Amino acid sequence: MTSASAPPVTRSPGEEFAAAYAADPAGAEVRFDFTITDAFQPTKERPRVTVRNLFRKRPVGMEPVRFWCEGRPDAAEAAAVRESDLRREAAFRFGMAEAGVHPIRAWVQIPEELAKDPEGLAVFVDYRLLVRLATAENQALTIGEHGLLRHPEIARLPYRHDYLSGLLAACDEIEQTGATPHAMIVNPRDYYTHLLGRGGLLEDLARNGVQISRTRMVAPGEAVVGDFAMAARLLDAGRSAIRIAVPPPGTFATDGPAVCAEIHEGLAIHLPTHFFHVVPA
């Protein structure tokens, strides 16, 4: 389970697509043998952790993979295991699971004036289409059909007091399993309302090694807290494409030439026991 490293990028994905579009506006397509959201990050000068960067990566093919996993026991199973009251993970069930990669797509329409401006089109693809693709990736990995919060064994942890108490309670629950609260996913509204500017809170979390990903894909008042580094792997097929295509109905309000960016990713969740969905009671 080594990290997949993308090759050095000489021409940006937008520049590659703009060249293909100039040669064939109706059928332009560029394929890449790496994941473009990993290799080219147009907003990297403005530090912000995406959901994909919370996970360690496992390079895979397009076929599903089998992997080990553990799950929570029922009360009778826990009672049958010596010292499970001290080390709750001693009673976890061992098993196998299967997961695979799925397409993640984002779309833009080409403004008419950019159609004959390769330099402008390249910048537009790099700084709009790829940013939208990163947002689609956040959505897919968090609340998408195969995302983290769709796993049936990830526990909800209601809080009755303030938001911060919910986050810290989740951190405690994770350490009670013998793990470490490596990261959390929060809504930007909660980050700026409850975390930023609250004394040394963010510094305390950083000193504790906690990464924070801000995304709208977690509802305000909620969060996902977990040992992302140990409990799951990002399945990365290492293939991407940018192409002219017909968008699904409802993608745009008006007609016009559309460009699709596509990557292939999934999640192997080994330890759903090490994640908590923090929610208001």
Side-chain angles (χ1 to χ4, degrees):
M1 294 186 181
T2 57
S3 295
S5 57
V9 177
T10 53
R11 286 206 303 183
S12 74
E15 290 169 333
E16 295 281 358
F17 176 78
Y21 185 78
D24 181 11
E29 180 172 7
V30 183
R31 294 183 178 273
F32 306 89
D33 59 359
F34 55 89
T35 300
I36 51 181
T37 51
D38 187 31
F40 187 71
Q41 301 176 29
T43 59
K44 62 184 178 182
E45 70 278 5
R46 295 178 289 148
R48 185 169 178 180
V49 179
T50 62
V51 174
R52 86 174 330 267
N53 293 130
L54 300 179
F55 299 98
R56 293 180 180 175
K57 294 183 284 292
R58 175 181 174 180
V60 297
M62 298 298 287
E63 298 300 317
V65 296
R66 298 283 294 172
F67 58 93
W68 62 267
C69 62
E70 296 180 31
R72 290 183 175 84
D74 60 31
E77 290 171 329
V81 176
R82 185 176 64 252
E83 294 186 350
S84 64
D85 56 338
L86 174 64
R87 297 175 291 107
R88 62 176 68 167
E89 69 273 19
F92 286 173
R93 296 171 174 170
F94 298 100
M96 296 293 293
E98 182 177 278
V101 299
H102 306 275
I104 300 172
R105 301 184 180 100
W107 298 82
V108 292
Q109 288 178 304
I110 300 176
E112 185 176 350
E113 293 184 25
L114 285 184
K116 296 182 180 180
D117 178 3
E119 183 177 348
L121 179 58
V123 173
F124 178 63
V125 169
D126 286 335
Y127 285 87
R128 289 314 301 147
L129 180 57
L130 294 193
V131 170
R132 289 194 175 201
L133 183 60
T135 301
E137 183 182 52
N138 279 350
Q139 180 174 345
L141 296 177
T142 306
I143 60 172
E145 182 180 356
H146 307 281
L148 193 60
L149 289 181
R150 293 299 186 101
H151 195 291
E153 292 190 62
I154 291 180
R156 291 167 65 88
L157 187 64
Y159 62 90
R160 295 190 177 278
H161 302 292
D162 61 284
Y163 179 75
L164 180 58
S165 70
L167 296 183
L168 297 182
C171 292
D172 173 61
E173 287 291 329
I174 292 163
E175 297 214 1
Q176 295 299 334
T177 68
T180 300
H182 159 255
M184 57 182 67
I185 306 172
V186 305
N187 188 284
R189 183 174 300 166
D190 293 312
Y191 180 85
Y192 290 108
T193 302
H194 302 294
L195 303 181
L196 187 65
R198 302 296 177 177
L201 174 60
L202 290 179
E203 290 79 4
D204 288 344
L205 291 173
R207 276 195 300 271
N208 218 36
V210 178
Q211 296 187 60
I212 300 176
S213 176
R214 309 190 303 271
T215 175
R216 296 162 290 172
M217 304 311 154
V218 172
E222 299 185 6
V224 182
V225 184
D227 192 341
F228 287 75
M230 294 299 296
R233 292 291 181 269
L234 175 72
L235 304 178
D236 191 339
R239 56 190 294 176
S240 314
I242 302 176
R243 60 178 176 268
I244 293 290
V246 177
T251 303
F252 302 111
T254 59
D255 294 331
V259 186
C260 174
E262 179 181 81
I263 56 177
H264 296 265
E265 294 177 351
L267 288 177
I269 302 175
H270 297 271
L271 295 165
T273 53
H274 290 26
F275 291 101
F276 287 91
H277 184 191
V278 176
V279 297

